[in-house]
Coordinates of all heavy atoms in Angstrom, one line a residue:
F1340 N -5.4 4.1 7.6 CA -4.6 4.8 8.7 C -3.4 5.5 8.1 O -2.8 5.0 7.2 CB -4.2 3.8 9.8 CG -5.2 3.2 10.5 CD1 -6.6 3.4 10.3 CD2 -4.9 2.4 11.7 CE1 -7.6 2.8 11.0 CE2 -5.9 1.8 12.4 CZ -7.2 2.0 12.1
T1341 N -3.1 6.7 8.7 CA -1.9 7.4 8.3 C -1.2 8.0 9.5 O -1.9 8.1 10.6 CB -2.2 8.5 7.3 OG1 -3.1 9.5 7.9 CG2 -2.8 8.1 6.0
I1342 N 0.1 8.2 9.4 CA 0.8 8.8 10.5 C 1.5 10.1 10.1 O 2.0 10.2 8.9 CB 1.9 7.8 11.0 CG1 1.3 6.7 11.8 CG2 3.0 8.5 11.8 CD1 2.4 5.8 12.4
S1343 N 1.5 11.0 10.9 CA 2.2 12.3 10.7 C 2.8 12.8 12.0 O 2.4 12.3 13.1 CB 1.2 13.4 10.2 OG 0.2 13.7 11.1
S1344 N 3.8 13.7 11.9 CA 4.5 14.2 13.0 C 4.6 15.7 12.9 O 4.7 16.3 11.9 CB 5.9 13.6 13.2 OG 6.7 13.9 12.1
D1345 N 4.5 16.4 14.1 CA 4.8 17.7 14.2 C 5.9 17.9 15.2 O 5.8 17.9 16.4 CB 3.5 18.4 14.8 CG 3.6 20.0 14.8 OD1 4.8 20.5 14.8 OD2 2.6 20.6 14.8
N1346 N 7.1 18.1 14.7 CA 8.3 18.1 15.5 C 8.3 19.3 16.4 O 8.8 19.2 17.5 CB 9.6 18.1 14.6 CG 9.8 16.8 13.9 OD1 9.1 15.9 14.1 ND2 10.8 16.8 13.0
A1347 N 7.7 20.4 16.0 CA 7.7 21.6 16.9 C 6.9 21.4 18.1 O 7.2 22.0 19.2 CB 7.1 22.8 16.1
K1348 N 5.8 20.5 18.0 CA 5.0 20.1 19.1 C 5.4 18.8 19.8 O 4.8 18.4 20.7 CB 3.6 20.1 18.7 CG 3.0 21.4 18.3 CD 1.5 21.3 18.0 CE 1.0 22.7 17.5 NZ -0.5 22.6 17.2
N1349 N 6.4 18.2 19.3 CA 6.9 16.9 19.8 C 5.7 15.9 19.8 O 5.5 15.2 20.8 CB 7.6 17.1 21.1 CG 8.8 17.9 21.1 OD1 8.8 19.0 21.7 ND2 9.8 17.5 20.4
T1350 N 4.9 15.8 18.7 CA 3.8 15.0 18.7 C 3.6 14.2 17.4 O 3.9 14.8 16.4 CB 2.5 15.9 18.9 OG1 2.6 16.6 20.1 CG2 1.2 15.1 18.9
V1351 N 3.3 13.0 17.5 CA 3.0 12.1 16.4 C 1.5 11.8 16.4 O 0.9 11.5 17.5 CB 3.8 10.8 16.5 CG1 3.4 9.8 15.4 CG2 5.3 11.1 16.4
Y1352 N 0.8 11.8 15.2 CA -0.6 11.6 15.1 C -0.9 10.3 14.3 O -0.2 10.1 13.3 CB -1.2 12.8 14.4 CG -1.0 14.1 15.1 CD1 0.1 14.9 14.8 CD2 -2.0 14.5 16.0 CE1 0.2 16.1 15.4 CE2 -1.8 15.8 16.7 CZ -0.7 16.6 16.4 OH -0.6 17.8 17.0
L1353 N -1.8 9.6 14.9 CA -2.3 8.5 14.1 C -3.7 8.9 13.6 O -4.6 9.0 14.5 CB -2.4 7.2 15.0 CG -3.0 5.9 14.3 CD1 -2.1 5.5 13.2 CD2 -3.2 4.8 15.3
Q1354 N -3.9 9.0 12.4 CA -5.2 9.3 11.8 C -5.9 8.1 11.3 O -5.3 7.3 10.5 CB -5.0 10.3 10.6 CG -6.3 10.6 9.8 CD -7.3 11.5 10.7 OE1 -6.8 12.5 11.3 NE2 -8.5 11.2 10.7
M1355 N -7.1 7.8 11.8 CA -7.8 6.6 11.6 C -9.1 6.9 10.8 O -9.9 7.6 11.4 CB -8.1 5.8 12.8 CG -6.8 5.5 13.7 SD -7.2 4.4 15.0 CE -8.2 5.4 16.0
N1356 N -9.2 6.4 9.6 CA -10.4 6.6 8.8 C -11.1 5.3 8.5 O -10.5 4.3 8.6 CB -10.0 7.3 7.5 CG -9.4 8.7 7.7 OD1 -9.8 9.4 8.6 ND2 -8.4 9.0 6.9
S1357 N -12.3 5.4 8.1 CA -13.1 4.2 7.7 C -13.0 3.1 8.8 O -12.8 2.0 8.5 CB -12.6 3.7 6.4 OG -12.8 4.6 5.3
L1358 N -13.3 3.5 10.0 CA -13.1 2.6 11.1 C -14.1 1.5 11.1 O -15.3 1.6 10.6 CB -13.2 3.4 12.5 CG -12.0 4.2 12.8 CD1 -12.3 5.2 13.9 CD2 -10.8 3.3 13.3
K1359 N -13.7 0.3 11.5 CA -14.5 -0.9 11.5 C -14.6 -1.4 13.0 O -13.8 -1.1 13.9 CB -13.8 -2.0 10.7 CG -13.6 -1.6 9.3 CD -12.8 -2.7 8.5 CE -12.5 -2.2 7.1 NZ -11.8 -3.3 6.4
P1360 N -15.7 -2.2 13.3 CA -15.8 -2.6 14.7 C -14.6 -3.5 15.1 O -14.2 -3.4 16.3 CB -17.0 -3.6 14.6 CG -17.8 -2.9 13.5 CD -16.9 -2.4 12.5
E1361 N -13.9 -4.1 14.2 CA -12.7 -4.9 14.6 C -11.5 -4.0 14.9 O -10.5 -4.5 15.4 CB -12.4 -5.9 13.5 CG -12.2 -5.3 12.1 CD -13.5 -5.5 11.3 OE1 -14.6 -5.2 11.8 OE2 -13.4 -5.8 10.1
D1362 N -11.6 -2.7 14.8 CA -10.6 -1.8 15.2 C -10.7 -1.5 16.7 O -9.8 -0.8 17.2 CB -10.6 -0.6 14.4 CG -10.3 -0.8 12.9 OD1 -9.4 -1.5 12.6 OD2 -10.9 -0.1 12.0
T1363 N -11.7 -1.9 17.3 CA -11.9 -1.7 18.7 C -10.8 -2.2 19.6 O -10.5 -3.5 19.5 CB -13.3 -2.2 19.2 OG1 -14.4 -1.5 18.5 CG2 -13.4 -2.0 20.7
A1364 N -10.1 -1.4 20.3 CA -9.0 -1.9 21.2 C -8.5 -0.7 22.0 O -8.9 0.4 21.8 CB -7.9 -2.4 20.3
V1365 N -7.5 -1.0 22.9 CA -6.7 0.0 23.5 C -5.5 0.3 22.6 O -4.8 -0.7 22.3 CB -6.3 -0.4 24.9 CG1 -5.5 0.7 25.5 CG2 -7.5 -0.6 25.8
Y1366 N -5.3 1.5 22.3 CA -4.2 1.9 21.4 C -3.1 2.5 22.2 O -3.3 3.4 23.1 CB -4.7 2.9 20.3 CG -5.5 2.2 19.3 CD1 -6.7 1.7 19.5 CD2 -4.9 2.0 18.0 CE1 -7.5 1.1 18.5 CE2 -5.6 1.4 17.0 CZ -6.8 0.9 17.2 OH -7.6 0.3 16.2
Y1367 N -1.8 2.1 22.0 CA -0.6 2.5 22.7 C 0.4 3.1 21.7 O 0.5 2.6 20.6 CB 0.0 1.4 23.4 CG -0.8 0.7 24.4 CD1 -1.6 -0.3 24.1 CD2 -0.7 1.1 25.8 CE1 -2.4 -1.0 25.0 CE2 -1.5 0.4 26.7 CZ -2.3 -0.6 26.4 OH -3.1 -1.2 27.3
C1368 N 1.1 4.1 22.1 CA 2.2 4.5 21.3 C 3.5 4.2 22.1 O 3.5 4.1 23.4 CB 2.2 6.0 20.9 SG 2.3 7.2 22.3
A1369 N 4.6 4.0 21.4 CA 5.9 3.6 22.1 C 7.0 4.2 21.3 O 6.9 4.6 20.1 CB 5.9 2.1 22.1
A1370 N 8.2 4.2 21.9 CA 9.4 4.7 21.3 C 10.6 3.7 21.4 O 10.7 3.1 22.4 CB 9.9 6.0 22.0
A1371 N 11.4 3.7 20.3 CA 12.5 2.8 20.2 C 13.7 3.5 19.7 O 13.6 4.2 18.7 CB 12.1 1.5 19.3
R1372 N 14.8 3.4 20.4 CA 16.0 4.0 19.9 C 16.5 3.2 18.6 O 16.5 2.0 18.5 CB 17.1 3.9 20.9 CG 18.4 4.6 20.6 CD 19.5 4.4 21.6 NE 19.2 5.0 22.8 CZ 19.5 6.2 23.2 NH1 20.1 7.0 22.2 NH2 19.2 6.7 24.3
L1373 N 16.8 4.1 17.6 CA 17.3 3.5 16.3 C 18.6 2.8 16.5 O 19.5 3.3 17.2 CB 17.3 4.6 15.3 CG 15.9 5.2 14.9 CD1 16.1 6.4 14.0 CD2 15.1 4.1 14.1
R1374 N 18.8 1.7 15.8 CA 20.1 1.0 15.8 C 21.0 1.4 14.7 O 20.6 1.9 13.6 CB 19.8 -0.5 15.7 CG 18.8 -1.0 16.8 CD 19.2 -0.8 18.2 NE 18.2 -1.2 19.2 CZ 18.1 -2.4 19.7 NH1 19.0 -3.4 19.3 NH2 17.1 -2.7 20.6

């Protein structure tokens, strides 16, 4: 898995390769204010 961001589009991407059956799930994204 890799992560990339496109700030112009305000979008973060999770790229998932070589997927396995155990990767089956509901995937969520979330935001946290930096401390």
Side-chain angles (χ1 to χ4, degrees):
F1340 293 6
T1341 59
I1342 283 184
S1343 63
S1344 63
D1345 186 338
N1346 290 355
K1348 296 183 178 180
N1349 299 114
T1350 301
V1351 174
Y1352 300 90
L1353 178 66
Q1354 178 68 45
M1355 305 187 296
N1356 300 319
S1357 301
L1358 284 164
K1359 305 175 181 179
E1361 51 263 43
D1362 295 319
T1363 296
V1365 177
Y1366 284 72
Y1367 301 87
C1368 66
R1372 185 185 293 274
L1373 293 171
R1374 308 297 177 91

